[in-house]
Every structure is written in structure tokens, then in C-alpha cells.
Amino acid sequence: MDCHVRTEQRGGRTVWILNDTDSEASASILPSFGFNLFDLKLPAAGALRPLVVAEPGWEQAPQHPAKHGFPVLFPFPNRISHGRFDWEGTSYRLPLTKPPHAIHGFALDADWEVTDHGEGPDGAFLSGRYRLAKTFPDGSPRWPSEGYLDLRYALHGRTLVLDATVANESDGDLPYGLGFHPYFRLPFGSGGSLSRTQVVIPASQAWVLDETIPTGEVRPVSEALDFRRGKSMQGLRVDAVLTGLEHNAEGFVVCRLIDESLGAEFRIGFDAIPFREIVVFTPPFGDDIIAIEPYTQTTDAINLQQRGVDAGLRILKPGQQESMRITMETAEC
């Protein structure tokens, strides 16, 4: 195995780059702005394919963190209704980052600590840590407990593995949700046909939304939201929270982006427990771009859960931690 890790300075920021020499795959990460995986190139159909979407040069002066690359959403993904929730007798008011709601947590534009890097049995790797306490050093009561999120990217061959660990380092319970908001390009090749693509998501249910906030009701997917047999990117417009996920024998949910012209596909897989929701979103800035977002909870879970709705909110006791995995790879089809 021939792999390595290197750094480059771009616009005064340090970019970490993982390389696999044999496959020529690469992954570029910006720790100083959300530990964002803003560029991923994997081999498919005889060529190296850029799969993750960010504007050229974005890493030199990054902004709009939820619209580029592979944003990390912690301690909550998506919205908290009106930025308000109560927890164990305390009321919390969050910045309205997408008025009238708070959205996507605090980690996606934070300066993360690089904790480890190198070459190991699973390839070139980079590890980083985000601490909740660092976001609000003035002690503002923005979240019930302190904790941290560790991420580790490892690149080997045509596969990138992301391991995440959340830990509670406080005296009280830590409620949290974790999500990722990656933007992928389909078709993979320049000049590819949108009509010769397929998006496959093994979800049988969808949350009913009222102006982006779940009502608490879950229904079987409509025809427009049923991706189990695949849907073309041609004319696709969607913004939905899907659930009822089917997993394989290894306990992984696998979503597939298929480029029929190339005879190749990209797969993103993740642990069925705790990743129990997927947001699927087609942004307005590109017909060939789709976000497939694994979440541990639905939108506004911290409020829904306290209404008696099983919304997926994770709760860690003092000293507890839990880990989960996401894989990304290309394959022939």
C-alpha cells in the first residue's frame, strides 16, 4: 500500500490532503473551517472523478459553510424551530442562523483541532476534534452539556472511510444529533446525460413537514419520494426527510448514485444505528448536484422528543461515548 498525507497553504489556510498513489484517489480537508471534506476524487470507469462539490478556490476564503463540500452538522442537524428548546428546566435560545430557525449546529464553520495524521493499515488518515465549549467560550448557555466530536478520515484505494465518535465530558446528560450535508455531482463525467442517471435511496417512509419542520407524523413515501428503484436526476427537485431505512447484512444503509453512461456508481453507506434518517435535497445552483445527508435524528428532534415523538434524539450519560461509520466508494455497475 502506497499512501501519504501532505499539507498545502491556500489563502493562508492549511489544507490537508490524503493520497493513495496506486489508485490516484485524493481527499482534501479544511480543518480550520468545519473540518470540511471539500474535494474528493475517486477512480471510476478508467478515470479519476471529482465527486464532492465546492466552488473552485472556496478553501482559500471559505464562506457559506452549509453550501460546499461535506459540512459536519453537530450537535444538531437541520433546524431547531425558532432556535428555542427547554432542557431539564433551562430554556435555550440559539442564534437564528436561517431565520426564523437555528440550523445545522455549531461545528460546520468552527476551527477544529487536528489530533492525528499519518499512514496506517487502512490508508492515509487525518483525525480532528471539535469541542462544544470552544464555540461559546463566554459561557453562554447555548447547549445543555459539554462534549466533543472526533472525526477520522481514512483513504485507501477507491474507498474513503469516515469514523465519528461523540463523547460526553460533563456531569449532566448530553443530548445531541449528528448529521452530514455532502454535495455530490451526478453524472460524474463532463458532458454526461442527466437522463442516464439513477439515484437509489432505500427509504420507505417520510416525515410530514410543515414549512420544513416535522409535525411528528411519518407516512409511507409518495411516488415522488420513493427512490428505492431509482430516480433520474433529469428534472429532479426534492427537499425531504426520509426514514424507514433498509440495511444490508452488515447493518449498513447504502445509497447509490449511478452514471449509466459510464457504467459506474458512487456509494455512500452508513451505520443503520444510529443513522436512521436521510435528507435528500437538490440545491438551486446546479441540475447535476444532489445532497444525500445521513442524520441520526430528524429535524427539530430536541423539541419533538419532549412531545413524546420518537425523533431520534441521542442522549449520552456522563462519561459515555458512541461511535459510528460512513463509507464512500466507487464501483463498476
Side-chain angles (χ1 to χ4, degrees), residues 200-202 246-248 252-256 265-270 278 327 329:
V200 180
I201 301 172
E246 301 171 9
H247 59 78
N248 62 21
F252 252 53
V253 177
V254 179
C255 302
R256 303 163 62 205
E265 65 181 73
F266 171 77
R267 301 169 184 163
I268 178 168
F270 42 89
I278 296 174
T327 63
E329 63 183 353

Side-chain angles (χ1 to χ4, degrees), residues 305-320:
Q305 202 83 18
Q306 294 177 93
R307 284 171 35 198
V309 177
D310 179 9
L313 185 71
R314 312 294 295 180
I315 300 175
L316 294 179
K317 296 293 182 182
Q320 283 188 332

Side-chain angles (χ1 to χ4, degrees), residues 116-179:
D116 199 7
H117 62 89
E119 298 81 31
D122 58 348
F125 69 88
L126 177 70
S127 300
R129 174 169 291 183
Y130 164 78
R131 289 186 181 275
L132 278 167
K134 188 175 181 180
T135 300
F136 304 108
D138 60 354
S140 301
R142 299 292 174 84
W143 204 253
S145 302
E146 301 297 347
Y148 63 81
L149 168 64
D150 282 346
L151 294 185
R152 182 182 187 273
Y153 284 106
L155 180 68
H156 180 206
R158 64 202 308 171
T159 301
L160 183 71
V161 176
L162 168 57
D163 287 307
T165 299
V166 180
N168 182 354
E169 51 184 359
S170 67
D171 295 330
D173 290 351
L174 172 64
Y176 83 90
L178 176 61

Side-chain angles (χ1 to χ4, degrees), residues 26-302:
S26 67
S28 300
I29 301 154
L30 187 63
S32 66
F33 201 75
F35 212 69
N36 192 312
L37 170 72
F38 66 90
D39 187 29
L40 175 64
K41 295 183 176 71
L42 298 178
L48 208 58
R49 309 290 177 179
L51 297 165
V52 170
V53 180
E55 287 185 359
W58 172 83
E59 71 279 10
Q60 299 180 41
Q63 56 183 327
H64 305 302
K67 296 182 178 180
H68 301 270
F70 206 103
V72 181
L73 316 179
F74 177 80
F76 63 94
N78 218 303
R79 293 159 176 81
I80 290 180
S81 180
H82 296 91
R84 299 177 182 177
F85 67 95
D86 296 323
W87 187 264
E88 296 183 346
T90 300
S91 295
Y92 295 86
R93 300 294 182 264
L94 306 184
L96 302 183
T97 42
K98 193 173 181 64
H101 308 301
I103 193 170
H104 289 338
F106 317 130
L108 76 171
D109 59 355
D111 185 2
W112 287 50
E113 174 191 2
V114 172
T115 56
D116 199 7
H117 62 89
E119 298 81 31
D122 58 348
F125 69 88
L126 177 70
S127 300
R129 174 169 291 183
Y130 164 78
R131 289 186 181 275
L132 278 167
K134 188 175 181 180
T135 300
F136 304 108
D138 60 354
S140 301
R142 299 292 174 84
W143 204 253
S145 302
E146 301 297 347
Y148 63 81
L149 168 64
D150 282 346
L151 294 185
R152 182 182 187 273
Y153 284 106
L155 180 68
H156 180 206
R158 64 202 308 171
T159 301
L160 183 71
V161 176
L162 168 57
D163 287 307
T165 299
V166 180
N168 182 354
E169 51 184 359
S170 67
D171 295 330
D173 290 351
L174 172 64
Y176 83 90
L178 176 61
F180 298 88
H181 195 323
Y183 292 92
F184 300 121
R185 193 177 302 282
L186 182 68
F188 311 139
S190 60
S193 172
L194 290 170
S195 64
R196 298 201 64 196
T197 58
Q198 290 291 312
V199 178
V200 180
I201 301 172
S204 62
Q205 298 175 308
W207 288 87
V208 177
L209 306 179
D210 180 7
E211 296 185 353
T212 73
I213 302 297
T215 64
E217 182 183 2
V218 173
R219 295 177 181 171
V221 289
S222 63
E223 174 60 31
L225 296 179
D226 191 349
F227 290 83
R228 287 173 292 181
R229 294 181 178 83
K231 284 187 177 296
S232 169
M233 286 286 288
Q234 183 77 51
L236 184 63
R237 295 290 181 269
V238 63
D239 187 1
V241 186
L242 306 181
T243 190
L245 307 181
E246 301 171 9
H247 59 78
N248 62 21
E250 288 73 41
F252 252 53
V253 177
V254 179
C255 302
R256 303 163 62 205
L257 301 180
I258 303 170
D259 187 325
E260 296 174 334
S261 297
L262 292 177
E265 65 181 73
F266 171 77
R267 301 169 184 163
I268 178 168
F270 42 89
D271 288 315
I273 301 174
F275 289 112
R276 42 169 280 176
E277 265 75 44
I278 296 174
V279 170
V280 55
F281 169 57
T282 49
F285 47 81
D287 291 341
D288 60 343
I289 300 172
I290 187 168
I292 295 180
E293 312 169 36
Y295 285 10
T296 62
Q297 62 174 50
T298 192
T299 305
D300 200 30
I302 201 163

